Amino acid sequence: MSLRAMGVLRQAGRLGQVLRQSYRSVPAALNIALGTQHSPAAAALSLRRFATEVKQASGPVVDKHEFQAETRQLLDIVARSLYSDHEVFVRELISNASDALEKFRYTSLSAGGENLAGKDRPLEIRITTDKPLMQLIIQDTGIGMTKEELVSNLGTIARSGSKKFLEQMKGNQQAASSEASSNIIGQFGVGFYSSFIVANKVEVFTRAATADAAGLRWSTDGSGTYEIEEVPDVELGTRIVLHLKTECREYADEERIQAVIKKYSNFVGSPILLNGKQANEIKPLWLLEPQSITKEQHHDFYRFISNSFDVPRFTLHYNADVPLSIHALLYFPEGKPGLFEMSRDGNTGVALYTRKVLIQSKTEHLLPKWLRFVKGVVDSEDIPLNLSRELLQNSSLIRKLSSVISSRVIRFLQERSKKQPEEYEAFYRDYGLFLKEGIVTSSDPNEKEEIAKLLRFESSKSEDASGRMSLEEYYNAVPQEQQNIYYLAAPNRVLAESSPYYESLKKRNELVLFCYEPYDELVLMQLGKFKSKKLVSVEKEMREESKETTATTDFGEGSLLRSELDSLIPWLEEELKGQVVKVKATTRLDTHPCVITVEEMAAARHFIRTQSHQVPEQNRFALLQPELEINPKHPIIKKLNKLRESDKDLAQLIAKQLFANAMVGAGLAEDPRMLLTNMNTLLSRALEKY
C-alpha cells in the first residue's frame, strides 16, 4: 500500500474514533472506512456518505464566529462602564424593538413592500418574565433579520442597524420616508450589548419579514464568540432571551420591569405588552397638537413627570424645526418652590427624550440652573449620542439646544406678564428669586436684559405692591434725555421713603425703584444698564453729585457759615479717625443730620453681611472708605458745633453716635447692638441735670 493511501486511512481512523464517541448508531460505512483491506477511494467514499448521514442526524450546522470588535474586554466595558444604571438595558432593548417595528412600517409602504410576509400581523413589543428560569424575554413583531444582518448588526460592537437603515432612506422621496425616519430611535450602536449588564448568556431568535426566510438562532455568552444556526418555528420578528445572572434575578420580576418601562419607555409609540398586559399607557403629549390636549391631560402628565400633586400654573407647548428639531412641553408649577429647588445643587426638572425614548430624566445643562423650577419634557431628533444614550456626545449642540429653549421660556414669561398680569404677579412673588439668579449667573448681556424685562419693583410713585412696575415701564415713563434709572435698597417702603438718600430725589420728583430684598441691588448692579440707561443706586448718585458740589459756600438760610464748617469738619475727621476717610457738608439733606456714602453701596452691604466678621474693624473701614456728609442746616449739627467748645466730652459722644446712626441707616453696621453702650452713656449725660 502506498504512503499516500496509508495517510488517508490513518486520518479516516482518527475521524472515526472521534465520531464514534459522539454518535452511537454509526452506519456500516464507518466500519468499512476503518478497515485496512479497502482501497483509499472506497474509504473516502464511505466517509462522505457517513458525513452526510451525520449531518442529517444532527440537524443544521452551527456556524461559529468571532466578534469583529474584539471581544470580551470590550463587552466588559459596555456592560460595566458604559452605563451608570443597570436598569437601562430594558430601555435599550425596547428601543431596538421599536426600531424594528418602525422599519417594518416604513418598508411595508415602500417599493417592494408587497413582498413582505405577515403584513397584517399586530405590530407590538412583548415582554415576558420567568422567575423560575431567571429569564427575561423581549420580543417584537417587526422587520426581523437575515443571517447576514445578524452577523453585520450583532457581530460588530458599535455598529448600528438603525443608522444604516436611515442612510439607505436618504434620497428616498416617498411620503412615508420622513415620518419613518423621525420614528427610528436607534443610531446608538451598542444598546443591544447592554444585555450583558444583567445576563451571562443571550439568545436571539429572529426571522426576517420576507418570503421563505429561515428562522435563526444567534447566541453568545459574551466571551468573544457567537453562534448562528437555523431553527424551526421562529415567529416573524425578533425574540431576545436573556439568561440572567444570579445577582440580577430582580429583572425576572414583573413589577420591576413595569417600573423600568414606566420610567424610561412609557412613551414609545408601539404597544408594550408585559406578560400579556399593556404596560405603556400614557401618550407622548409633547408630540400631539396643542389644541388636542385637554387641561386634565396636562394635569395628569404634569403630576406624572414632576412627582407632585399640584397643577401647573403656566404651560408652554413648543415645537420647532429650526435651528433644531424640538418638541418641548414645559410646566411652571403653581406651588411655591421647595427647599431642593431653592438650592443650586438640585438638578433641573426637565427630561430629555429623543423620538419618545428617555435619555435622561433630569438633564444637566439642558436648561440653566436658574430655570431648575421648570418641569417637563424636551424631545429632539438632533441630539447626537455616543456609544450610550447617557453620554451626550456633542456638548455644543446641547448648549445650542439650551440656548433655544431658554430664550423661548423667557419670551413665554414675557408674554404671560402682559396677557395675564395678575397670574404673572403671583408667579413672580414665588419665583422672582430665580429670575434674579439668572441675571447674576448669565454671561450673555442680551439674555440678562431679556430676563430683566421680567423683574418687578415697587416705585416711588406707586402706592403698594399691586403697583409694581417693570424696568421697561420705567424706561418709557421717564424723559428720553434722562440717562439713569434710579433705585433704592431698603427693607420696606416706610424706610425707603424716609431714607436720607431719597430726600433729594423726592424733592425733584424723580421716579425711583424700591428694592426690598437684600440681593436686589446686587442684581441691578450686575445688570449695569437697561437698554440705553444706566442703573444707578441713589447712594451712588448722591456721592457723585457731592463730588461736584465740594466747593459750595452757600448752604442756605439757617445753616452754619463756611468758616464754622471749616473748623467743624477737621474736628469731626479727627474724632472719627480710622472710621471715615472724609467729612464734608452737603445740600442734599433736609430732615437728616448726616449720611454715610461709599463708592459701591450694594457691594459694601454684601461684604458686611457675608465677610466682615472675618476682618478686623480697622481693616473693615479701610476697605469701605466711608465718607460722612453732614447737613449744616440741621439743629443737631449746629448744636454740635457749639458743644465742641462748651462740653468737649459730650460733643465726642454725639459725634460718635451720629456716625453710628449713619452707618445703621446705610445698612453698613455689622451688629447694631454695638450702639447701645455709647447710646446709654449719651442718655446718662442728657439726664444729669434732672
Side-chain angles (χ1 to χ4, degrees), residues 174-318:
Q174 294 193 36
S177 176
S178 176
E179 182 178 355
S181 174
S182 68
N183 284 331
I184 296 297
I185 300 166
Q187 305 185 64
F188 303 112
V190 300
F192 169 76
Y193 290 95
S194 63
S195 305
F196 286 95
I197 297 173
V198 298
N200 50 32
K201 181 181 179 182
V202 178
E203 295 179 286
V204 178
F205 296 86
T206 187
R207 182 179 162 205
T210 55
D212 303 324
L216 300 170
R217 174 183 173 272
W218 181 99
S219 64
T220 183
D221 60 2
S223 62
T225 62
Y226 61 93
E227 297 177 348
I228 299 177
E229 62 178 319
E230 290 187 15
V231 290
D233 303 325
V234 176
E235 295 183 49
L236 293 171
T238 301
R239 178 164 60 98
I240 300 173
V241 181
L242 304 183
H243 299 264
L244 299 170
K245 301 172 184 176
T246 304
E247 64 271 21
C248 299
R249 62 168 69 94
E250 64 182 286
Y251 295 105
D253 183 80
E254 179 177 342
E255 291 183 0
R256 182 71 175 92
I257 298 301
Q258 174 68 65
V260 178
I261 293 172
K262 183 178 181 181
K263 180 177 180 180
Y264 291 106
S265 304
N266 222 3
F267 311 112
V268 169
S270 302
I272 301 174
L273 304 180
L274 176 58
N275 294 333
K277 295 175 289 187
Q278 185 158 340
N280 58 329
E281 299 174 355
I282 297 180
K283 297 178 182 178
L285 295 190
W286 63 90
L287 297 180
L288 303 180
E289 287 296 323
Q291 297 81 3
S292 68
I293 305 173
T294 66
K295 183 180 289 187
E296 289 71 25
Q297 284 177 305
H298 275 304
H299 290 179
D300 290 343
F301 183 63
Y302 166 75
R303 292 187 184 112
F304 171 78
I305 60 171
S306 65
N307 290 319
S308 61
F309 299 99
D310 61 340
V311 295
R313 191 192 305 260
F314 301 128
T315 299
L316 169 59
H317 195 164
Y318 167 53

Side-chain angles (χ1 to χ4, degrees), residues 361-379:
S361 58
K362 294 188 182 296
T363 310
E364 194 173 2
H365 307 310
L366 185 57
L367 281 179
K369 280 283 189 182
W370 67 271
L371 284 174
R372 58 189 174 276
F373 61 90
V374 177
K375 313 294 181 186
V377 169
V378 173
D379 192 321

Side-chain angles (χ1 to χ4, degrees), residues 560 568 571-572 630 634-648 650-656 658:
L560 292 173
L568 175 61
W571 179 82
L572 283 170
I630 59 174
H634 198 278
I636 293 178
I637 298 299
K638 291 194 288 185
K639 187 66 174 176
L640 175 64
N641 185 52
K642 293 179 180 179
L643 282 174
R644 287 190 302 119
E645 304 296 335
S646 61
D647 193 337
K648 187 174 181 180
L650 181 57
Q652 289 175 337
L653 285 172
I654 292 174
K656 290 177 181 178
L658 284 172

Side-chain angles (χ1 to χ4, degrees), residues 207 275 342 395 518 538 598 621 641:
R207 182 179 162 205
N275 294 333
M342 295 298 287
S395 59
V538 295
V598 297
F621 289 123
N641 185 52

Side-chain angles (χ1 to χ4, degrees), residues 38 147 168 362 403 458 489 666:
H38 298 283
K147 182 176 181 180
Q168 290 175 349
K362 294 188 182 296
S403 175
E458 285 188 37

